[in-house]
Structures are given as structure tokens and as C-alpha cells.
Amino acid sequence: MSVDALTVALATRSYSLDVRPGVARSWPAATAVRQASARVVVTNRTIAALYPELVAGTQCNLRIELEDGERYKTADSVDVIHSALLRARCDRKCIIVAVGGGVVGDTAGFAAATYMRGIPFIQVPTTLLAQVDSSIGGKTAINHPLGKNMIGAFHQPSAVFIDPLLLNTLPDAELSAGFAEIIKHALIRDAAYLDWLEANSAGLLARDPELLTHAIRRSCEIKAAIVEADEFETGERALLNLGHTFGHALEAVLGFGTWLHGQAVGCGLVLATDMSARLGLIDSAAVARVQRIVSAFRLPVRVPAQASTSALVDAMLLDKKNEGGRVRFILLEAIGRGVIRPESVELAAQVIDAHR
Ligand code: NAD
Ligand code: GLY
């Protein structure tokens, strides 16, 4: 297995995605860190307790421990980071090192995007979801009381250190949630990768380090290629939202936190595949197959009774990415080939009803 770092090559700047067991400890050696005037680690209490060596005071000038949880992905947490930087007289050449899952990465990244109009940051993602999705591509955001991820900025990291060994302590449900994004990558871009995931689900769930490293690398390659082609989501980057239109509606209607984001996306992948089949884009056998794979990774495939179809449709109509009253769905033209299509919500309602 190759251990070369992957690259996200953007028009303005490139950065590396180093995917290797044990690589997390290498972050202090990153060029961007060595060149920085000060190192500021942002993490949360859970990670600091589990991995003290990664966030040790000897490696940084300042360590900021946020509270753990999505409800702390807020302007208040960004203010905590900015205030600590100002008190420590950090200048524009300091660097933020985000060590944690997507919540820490998104919050620390947004703090970096906005401190003194932008300072560098690196990501050391510690959840599977963060390792294959949120740490790559430069989307940073915090939640607003009126909407999730509503306040944000595109701000690319200077480097990403992706260490599959950190996943050994991740709760099972969080691991499965990360696989929803991995299955999504295979569905939109790589049919052979889906075959491989299907054949290796047991080993991946058992956290075999070689299998996990392979999956993370392949997913990072797919995400990097899409971000390189469309950094600011004017087109094909939206393919990364496969399963998310249904998924976000499920999260909102069930109440944020009832299902993990990845659980909602897993169910959303099944619904989006079924919608593709009903539109004649893909063979109907694909629906049963995607359902089997999502289920094999211990993700839900049925819409819970407490989420009514009308409430889910209303939530889809509220999505900020809609065009002219039609909902923009990401669908499949084949396993391995995603497509973006505005469609009516009546069909989405039929699909939801078929998966009770
Ligand atoms: P998270 O950051 O809340 O982490 C999940 C839980 O796992 C937390 O309790 C965390 O403390 C714990 N944890 C993290 N690493 C651990 C480890 N190695 N061992 C044990 N426990 C560990 O959740 P997440 O799923 O990583 O991220 C979700 C967030 O990511 C959401 O806010 C979502 O909006 C965001 N997101 C952003 C992007 C993007 O492109 N920026 C993409 C997808 C999701
Ligand atoms: N998670 C979707 C994206 O990065 O575009």
C-alpha cells in the first residue's frame, strides 16, 4: 500500500492529505506549523482526555478546549477562540491546529477564516466523518439559532493529517456514521469501490487498520478530485450532497441530535437511489443493493413513523439550495455516476412512503 500523501490541487494553493496509521503525531513537523509565529491547538475535552500527547502544551503555545457537542458549534465558541488569540497577542502568522471531529474542525476553521481576516490552520481529524469529509475542501461553518451551518466561509487548511488509528476509540455509531459518507463517495464516483466496500464491510466495522486506511484514502481521493474541479460549489461539488436532501430533512424533523448526521445520510442514500429508479435513471435492483449495503454498515434504511411525510417535504422545500420551487436532488444515473436534477417533491413523498 502506497504511503505517499494525497494532494488537493487548487488554483490558488495546494495542500496535502497525509493518510497513514500513526501520522497524527507528525503535525508539529508540518511546514506551515514550523513557519508559524505561534501554534494554537483547538480541541475538545473528550479528545484532550483520550489523546493528551496530540495536544500537549509542549507542542503548542496555546491550547483551547471546547465543550464537546454540536450545540457548541456556535458564535460563542468562535468568540472563545478569538479572545484567547487576542489575549495571547497572536499575530496573523500564528496557526490554528484543529484536533477533533467535524465540530472542532468546522469551528476552529471558521475562527481561522475570520481572525485578522484569515490565518492558516491545519486539520487533524479524529472521526471517520471528519477524515473522509469535513476536514477536506475548506468548508467551515458554525450554527446559528435559525439554522445549521448558516454562518461560514470557504477557508482551505494548509495540511490535513489523517490517522486511522485514532478511530480505535470512536464509538460504534460514530464509526458507522462516517461510512455513510464513504458509501456516498462510491455511489457518485466509483462502482468498483462500492463492490469493495460491500465485500469488506465486516473487516471495516472491525476497524482493520489496512482496510480502513484503504477506504479513507480512496474516499479522500474522490473528495479531493471533486473539490479541485469545483472549489466553491458552483457545479459538481453538489454531488457530495447525495442523500443529504432527504438526510437533512430527517435530521430536522426528528430533531437535531436524534439521529447522527451520518445515520440520516445513510437512510437518505437509500431514498435517493429509489428516487433515481422511479425516474428511470437506474435499475430498480440498485435500490435493494444500496439498502443492503447501508444496512450492513449498521445505518438505518427506514423512515421512522414519527417523521411525517408532509413534515419531511416541508423541510426539503426550505433547503437553501432549491431553485424556483423545485427541490435540487442529487440522483444516480448508474452506480458510480451521480447527477444533479431539480425534481418535484411529489415523487420524493412517494419514495418516503415506500420506505416506512
Ligand atoms: P463530532 O465532531 O461531534 O464528533 C462526534 C463525537 O465523537 C464527539 O463526541 C467527539 O468528541 C467524539 N470523538 C471525536 N473523535 C473521537 C475519537 N477518536 N475517539 C473517541 N471519540 C471521539 O462529529 P463529526 O461527525 O465528526 O462531525 C459532525 C460535524 O461535521 C457537523 O457539525 C457537520 O455539520 C460537520 N460537517 C462539515 C463538513 C464540511 O465540509 N465542513 C462536512 C460534513 C460534516
Ligand atoms: N460535505 C460536502 C462538501 O464538502 O462539499
Side-chain angles (χ1 to χ4, degrees):
M1 187 180 293
S2 163
V3 291
D4 291 344
L6 306 171
T7 302
V8 184
L10 300 170
T12 43
R13 194 171 55 76
S14 296
Y15 59 94
S16 63
L17 310 177
D18 202 342
V19 187
R20 269 182 297 140
V23 77
R25 279 168 293 154
S26 307
W27 73 254
T31 309
V33 172
R34 285 189 285 107
Q35 290 172 345
S37 59
R39 305 156 169 206
V40 181
V41 167
V42 178
T43 188
N44 73 20
R45 289 178 192 282
T46 308
I47 302 298
L50 284 169
Y51 297 102
E53 73 287 358
L54 278 187
V55 298
T58 47
Q59 300 184 138
C60 59
N61 305 83
L62 185 62
R63 182 178 66 214
I64 300 164
E65 279 178 30
L66 302 175
E67 299 291 338
D68 187 355
E70 179 75 30
R71 67 183 184 285
Y72 297 103
K73 203 175 102 169
T74 57
D76 282 350
S77 292
V78 172
D79 187 54
V80 165
I81 298 169
H82 286 166
S83 299
L85 291 169
L86 287 168
R87 275 195 300 273
R89 299 185 187 282
C90 290
D91 62 20
R92 299 191 63 201
K93 292 193 170 148
C94 75
I95 191 164
I96 287 182
V97 183
V99 184
V103 167
V104 167
D106 278 13
T107 311
F110 185 64
T114 45
Y115 186 70
M116 295 189 176
R117 299 195 186 87
I119 58 170
F121 81 118
I122 66 170
Q123 294 258 26
V124 186
T126 63
T127 62
L128 184 57
L129 179 140
Q131 295 191 345
V132 297
D133 192 354
S134 63
S135 67
I136 306 154
K139 280 189 183 176
T140 73
I142 51 169
N143 301 328
H144 184 278
L146 296 179
K148 184 168 153 59
N149 288 335
M150 283 297 163
I151 312 298
F154 282 97
H155 188 55
Q156 299 289 344
S158 300
V160 188
F161 291 88
I162 302 174
D163 185 344
L165 294 183
L166 299 180
L167 304 180
N168 284 333
T169 52
L170 197 63
D172 288 343
E174 298 286 355
L175 188 77
S176 286
F179 279 114
E181 307 292 353
I182 286 178
I183 298 166
K184 172 193 81 179
H185 290 143
L187 286 172
I188 58 174
R189 269 298 157 86
D190 186 348
Y193 182 31
L194 194 72
D195 296 344
W196 183 87
L197 290 169
E198 196 172 19
N200 289 287
S201 59
L204 287 162
L205 286 171
R207 306 174 200 230
D208 177 292
E210 271 198 31
L211 294 178
L212 271 180
T213 304
H214 176 79
I216 293 166
R217 281 183 70 89
R218 183 66 196 120
S219 273
C220 286
E221 281 170 359
I222 291 170
K223 176 137 191 193
I226 291 174
V227 170
E228 285 170 356
D230 180 20
E231 182 179 358
F232 298 109
E233 199 170 315
T234 54
E236 73 176 275
R237 184 163 177 171
L239 292 175
L240 291 167
N241 293 324
L242 179 72
H244 285 60
T245 306
F246 287 107
H248 285 154
L250 280 162
E251 280 183 280
V253 172
L254 290 172
F256 283 100
T258 307
W259 272 6
L260 296 175
H261 172 72
Q263 292 172 322
V265 169
C267 188
L269 294 175
V270 176
L271 299 176
T273 309
D274 191 349
M275 189 154 173
S276 310
R278 283 167 198 256
L279 286 163
L281 295 172
I282 192 170
D283 200 302
S284 59
V287 184
R289 183 178 178 216
V290 170
Q291 185 160 321
R292 261 197 324 275
I293 296 171
V294 168
S295 198
F297 282 94
R298 299 182 190 143
L299 293 161
V301 295
R302 300 248 154 241
V303 178
Q306 68 266 35
S308 76
T309 303
S310 60
L312 289 167
V313 165
D314 285 350
M316 283 191 255
L317 287 167
L318 277 179
D319 196 299
K320 60 182 182 291
K321 288 163 185 154
N322 290 335
E323 294 152 16
R326 283 158 83 83
V327 173
R328 190 188 65 166
F329 285 96
I330 315 303
L331 300 168
L332 295 175
E333 289 181 321
I335 296 288
R337 210 164 68 239
V339 62
I340 305 162
R341 286 194 24 168
E343 289 295 339
S344 78
V345 286
E346 283 75 28
L347 184 59
Q350 287 173 29
V351 169
I352 291 165
D353 285 337
H355 290 269
R356 294 287 178 184

